[in-house]
Amino acid sequence: MGARLRWIRRTVAAAFLVGLAFAFVDFRHLAPERLGHALASVQFVPSALSLLTGASFSIACLVVLAATLAVGRVYCGAICPLGLLQDVIRRVSRLLNQAPPFLKYAPARSWIRHGFLWATALAIVAGWGGLALAVLDPYSNFGRLFSALVRPVVTLANNALVHAFPSLASHGWYRVDVVWASLGVISVALTVLVVIGVMSALRGRLYCNTVCPVGTLLGMLSRRAAYRLSINSRRCKRCAECLKVCRAQCIDLRTRQIDASRCVACFDCLSVCKEAALAYEYSWKKPQPEVDTAPAVPEPSTNFSAGRRAFVSNSLTSILSALGGLTLLARGGGGEGAEPARPQRHRGNHGEGHGGEHSGKRHREHHDAGPICPPGSGSREAFLSRCTACQLCISACPTRVLQPAFLEYGIAGLMKPRFDLAVAFCNFDCTRCGDVCPTGAIDALALPEKQVTRVGVAHFDRRLCIVDQNGTDCAACSEHCPTKAVHTVPFRENLRLPEVDESLCIGCGACEFACPVQPTKAITVSPKLVHERASKAREEKASTPVPTNDFPF
Amino acid sequence: MKTRRDFIKAGFALGASFSLSDLSGLYAADAATAPAPGGSRSILVAVRDGDRVAMLDKALAELGGIGAFVKPGQTVLIKPNIGWDVPPERGANTHPDLVARLITLCREAGAKSVSVFDNTCDEWTLSYANSGIEKAAREAGATVVNGKDESLYRQTDVPNGVKLKSAKVHSLALDSDVFINVPVLKHHSGSLMTSAMKNLMGIVWDRRAYHRADLHQCIADLLTRVKPTLNIVDAYHPMVRNGPRGKSVEDVIVLKTLLASRDIVAVDAAAAKLLGHQPTDVRHVQLAAAHGLGTLDLDQVDIRRLRLA
């Protein structure tokens, strides 16, 4: 049975690890958006966020909870990509002889584990869930490592290959520009990589069993799971074969106990035990006196009380999480009424206003500051509380206009996607960021809806414009504008000067990207803290400038 | 500030210094292009009222067949307008049927290779796909090249440029034996019109530099360095407003016209008239004429007007 369970676990794990790694690294956008979205949507934190904020009826998190209570932490052992990545790191470092051949049993670090879990729960209640979940969600951490670090490296390798073998071009290979995230973002991702890398190389799933709040939460359930691993004291010869394969340091051969709260259900021990001393079986039956034919081990009383404690604490956590979810819901669904309460970062030294009523002396002073968040995210406030910064949208964005923020949104927006109009602009006929988002932070807008969703608005400064300054035609801005909010009007002798119709503008940033003026662009897009709806004028059929039935020359 | 008159003067001065013997050395196939006094006149073929493929075939037949341009073993670059991530019916890109037919003809004429690319405005893979050109060109046997790969562009001097003295130009445009320019005719909010000359911004890496330095002059200047062998203008359903990207299919009118000429100035002069402008209204066309790069005055052009219906 052990071998078969392991086989199933490995197959599922490989599918999730390879699938998600591909989705995050996919610099050619070869995989359909559905792949990344499907694999990400069943991850615990994204699904829970999506369900609790009412973004979608995502029951994957409930299934994970139920499954954990039934059969243990199979989520950690086969589905969570960060867990699987740690298994890979441990395996590789063992192959390189850089890791201990086996890990001794270590007692649980309960205070640290529960500390992280409670801190997360409290943060959610206090309105800092967006930051806490972004920092601690294991799936999102995986996404950041692969999107910010692995993807550029793979792209560079692709480019080196294309350069070395030009004949690859005829097979559809091409060079792809590498867009590095900002130094701050890279540093954060690298730090996480080093921490997780060292922990997993030296101590297996230590991260999952000390830091990860999802691991701790699920551990509370798996401690009392219906199906659990146990050691038959009479059969076990303490050969320690199981220890050699255990990644969680949860098998205590001294007492022949397995800490089910830390076991990630990899089933490796089960398949290596030569004495058949390990059993994975139903354990909710009443404790009964040991008999020779029944290897079931009664739970020691300490374990039982621990289980009860866990159950109580678990219930509390659930209540807290639900409360946190409601908080999120209230913020996210508030729409116009939920004017951001958090102080926003403003450029310049003006007052608090972010409407158009303050007339600043300098051009941009009366506009909202900071980055633009993706179409479908509703408002910056809702977005920052719902996004876990997994980077799936950043990986899926075809133009690369979505780039991870460092501190542009403030600390709560660390690594979350923002428009970077120096890199590109938002493609008009695209809804990929919303299509892939697993948390509901970016709604999957229908294309016609997205095309009238105003995430920002363009401001034209004629004093910087080439047409006015140099007296030559330009209009790169209006050329790129998909809604013709930016158009041109006759100017001086035979010139065409840009003009912005704000009612049509959706803030895609094409104009700012295209503007050739250096160093400050003559047309810039400022964010809308609460996204708006642009109007869309229906146009009549164009009339013909000349008779169309003959040659006009 | 320079006035238009100054530009024209400067252009004429340059055009004069740019002698015909220099030209013939550079562009042996272009002997008929330059308006040499006493020389042969530029030929412009204008076809109406057929589908794109039929009009192309007719126009090429009038110009002596594709064999007059493409010899066996030659490398060919076909440069359509693939600037935007919009479908063919929007008229923002050259129609894929036209591109595909041209590729087929070049291959039948024995071309060693036929390449297609554009330095797009919208994201290039989406533009290539949505324009229909990538698929059509592949199926017709062309090599579809990434126009956003900077390593494929080469810094090139433009010795006779007034404003554009140097540019990073795609090596296929510099190195191909035959360069066929296949623009789509459109309104343009900045340059009034985009046709054959403006389409060549897509062989240059840094578009913003053009806009900074004087858009029209740079467009004309580049032609002194790189000049297409043949220009074929897709005016089947030109976009007459909201150009060059357009907003909807309502922006196009049906003209069922195709223009072809070796003379890029003549072809754009005629294109301007299709949109209701005088050739002199489009400043880059005027500046190119001042450089001596072709014939602006359509009365001096041998126009072959052909109807298919």
Side-chain angles (χ1 to χ4, degrees), chain A residues 27 45 65 75 205 241 247 256 311 346 404 497 512 520:
Chain A
F27 60 92
V45 170
L65 290 175
Y75 172 74
R205 293 292 196 103
E241 283 299 315
R247 60 201 71 201
R256 292 200 175 93
F311 195 76
H346 287 272
L497 184 74
E512 178 174 331
T520 309

Side-chain angles (χ1 to χ4, degrees), chain A residues 205-526:
Chain A
R205 293 292 196 103
L206 180 63
Y207 177 88
C208 308
N209 285 329
T210 49
V211 180
C212 180
V214 178
T216 305
L217 179 68
L218 297 183
M220 287 172 159
L221 294 176
S222 68
R223 187 193 289 275
R224 295 185 55 82
Y227 277 86
R228 248 177 283 168
L229 283 164
S230 60
I231 300 174
N232 183 321
S233 307
R234 265 189 306 286
R235 286 188 184 170
C236 173
K237 296 197 167 61
R238 292 187 169 128
C239 67
E241 283 299 315
C242 52
L243 281 197
K244 288 185 189 168
V245 294
C246 181
R247 60 201 71 201
Q249 295 181 281
C250 67
I251 305 174
D252 185 359
L253 279 187
R254 208 167 31 84
T255 61
R256 292 200 175 93
Q257 295 292 324
I258 295 177
D259 180 354
S261 79
R262 285 186 290 154
C263 169
V264 294
C266 72
F267 306 119
D268 281 7
C269 54
L270 208 53
S271 54
V272 297
C273 182
K274 294 189 185 83
E275 315 299 333
L278 279 153
Y280 179 63
E281 55 190 8
Y282 191 68
S283 52
W284 275 359
K285 53 190 143 192
K286 282 191 177 145
Q288 49 187 261
E290 272 185 63
V291 286
D292 277 350
T293 48
V297 178
E299 272 183 307
S301 59
T302 51
N303 246 14
F304 189 67
S305 73
R308 213 166 50 188
R309 251 199 336 264
F311 195 76
V312 172
S313 134
N314 183 34
S315 313
L316 275 173
T317 309
S318 308
I319 294 166
L320 273 176
S321 309
L323 277 175
L326 289 176
T327 322
L328 291 180
L329 192 60
R331 282 154 192 248
E336 301 287 3
E339 198 61 8
R342 213 172 291 166
Q344 300 297 334
R345 285 154 40 80
H346 287 272
R347 286 180 200 161
N349 54 353
H350 56 100
E352 288 302 306
H354 39 244
E357 70 272 21
H358 291 254
S359 53
K361 275 179 200 146
R362 278 180 43 228
H363 170 65
R364 291 195 67 150
E365 283 190 358
H366 61 287
H367 304 304
D368 291 326
I372 298 167
C373 56
S377 53
S379 71
R380 185 186 288 176
E381 184 78 3
F383 173 64
L384 293 186
S385 67
R386 293 174 175 197
C387 170
T388 60
C390 75
Q391 324 282 300
L392 193 57
C393 57
I394 292 170
S395 284
C397 178
T399 70
R400 316 299 311 276
V401 67
L402 289 184
Q403 290 294 322
F406 183 46
L407 296 173
E408 289 87 347
Y409 283 120
I411 185 74
L414 190 66
M415 314 280 277
K416 296 180 184 181
R418 66 179 172 106
F419 273 22
D420 186 342
L421 298 178
V423 174
F425 56 93
C426 179
N427 188 289
F428 191 58
D429 287 271
C430 176
T431 55
R432 280 194 205 168
C433 50
D435 293 343
V436 297
C437 179
T439 70
I442 310 174
D443 256 348
L445 298 178
L447 187 60
E449 186 63 27
K450 184 261 177 173
Q451 291 178 335
V452 291
T453 298
R454 180 183 296 136
V455 297
V457 68
H459 307 281
F460 174 60
D461 188 345
R462 183 177 140 178
R463 291 162 300 174
L464 294 172
C465 181
I466 279 172
V467 181
D468 194 8
Q469 291 305 299
N470 300 4
T472 58
D473 272 323
C474 176
C477 50
S478 86
E479 186 180 343
H480 281 68
C481 180
T483 68
K484 294 302 154 210
V486 187
H487 53 272
T488 54
V489 290
F491 181 65
R492 290 190 201 145
E493 188 194 349
N494 220 5
L495 291 173
R496 284 152 286 268
L497 184 74
E499 186 180 81
V500 180
D501 178 351
E502 292 192 5
S503 72
L504 294 175
C505 181
I506 58 169
C508 69
C511 52
E512 178 174 331
F513 173 81
C515 178
V517 182
Q518 295 168 326
T520 309
K521 305 237 171 189
I523 192 161
T524 51
V525 180
S526 63

Side-chain angles (χ1 to χ4, degrees), chain A residues 78-90:
Chain A
I79 295 172
C80 171
L82 194 70
L84 305 174
L85 176 67
Q86 292 174 72
D87 293 344
V88 171
I89 293 175
R90 175 159 176 264

Side-chain angles (χ1 to χ4, degrees), chain A residues 185-209:
Chain A
V185 168
I186 299 266
S187 313
V188 173
L190 268 179
T191 308
V192 171
L193 179 65
V194 169
V195 168
I196 286 178
V198 170
M199 285 176 95
S200 57
L202 301 181
R203 293 287 180 273
R205 293 292 196 103
L206 180 63
Y207 177 88
C208 308
N209 285 329

Side-chain angles (χ1 to χ4, degrees), chain A residues 174-175 177 398-399 425 427-429 432 466 470-476 478-480 482-484 488 493-494 496 513-516 518 521 539-546 548-553, chain B residues 4 46 48 84-85 121-126 146 149 151 188-190 192 198 208 211-212 214-216 240-242 244-245 247 249-253 255 259 270 273-276 298 303 305-307:
Chain A
Y174 51 78
R175 211 180 144 276
D177 278 339
T399 70
F425 56 93
N427 188 289
F428 191 58
D429 287 271
R432 280 194 205 168
I466 279 172
N470 300 4
T472 58
D473 272 323
C474 176
S478 86
E479 186 180 343
H480 281 68
T483 68
K484 294 302 154 210
T488 54
E493 188 194 349
N494 220 5
R496 284 152 286 268
F513 173 81
C515 178
Q518 295 168 326
K521 305 237 171 189
E539 294 205 343
E540 300 301 311
K541 184 78 192 162
S543 56
T544 55
V546 287
T548 54
N549 54 358
D550 201 0
F551 299 101
F553 41 77
Chain B
R4 193 167 53 158
R48 279 205 59 127
W84 307 98
D85 172 26
C121 296
D122 278 338
E123 200 279 330
W124 75 275
T125 58
L126 297 174
N146 175 3
D149 181 348
S151 70
H188 195 286
S189 60
L192 195 59
K198 178 81 174 63
R208 292 196 188 103
H211 283 267
R212 274 192 296 269
D214 183 349
L215 183 61
H216 291 291
V240 294
R241 66 173 184 216
N242 293 332
R245 195 184 193 280
K247 280 175 77 172
V249 287
E250 310 299 336
D251 294 330
V252 305
I253 58 163
L255 270 191
L259 307 173
K273 289 208 151 189
L274 288 177
L275 292 186
L298 290 175
I303 302 178
R305 298 171 184 84
L306 309 169
R307 281 181 183 277

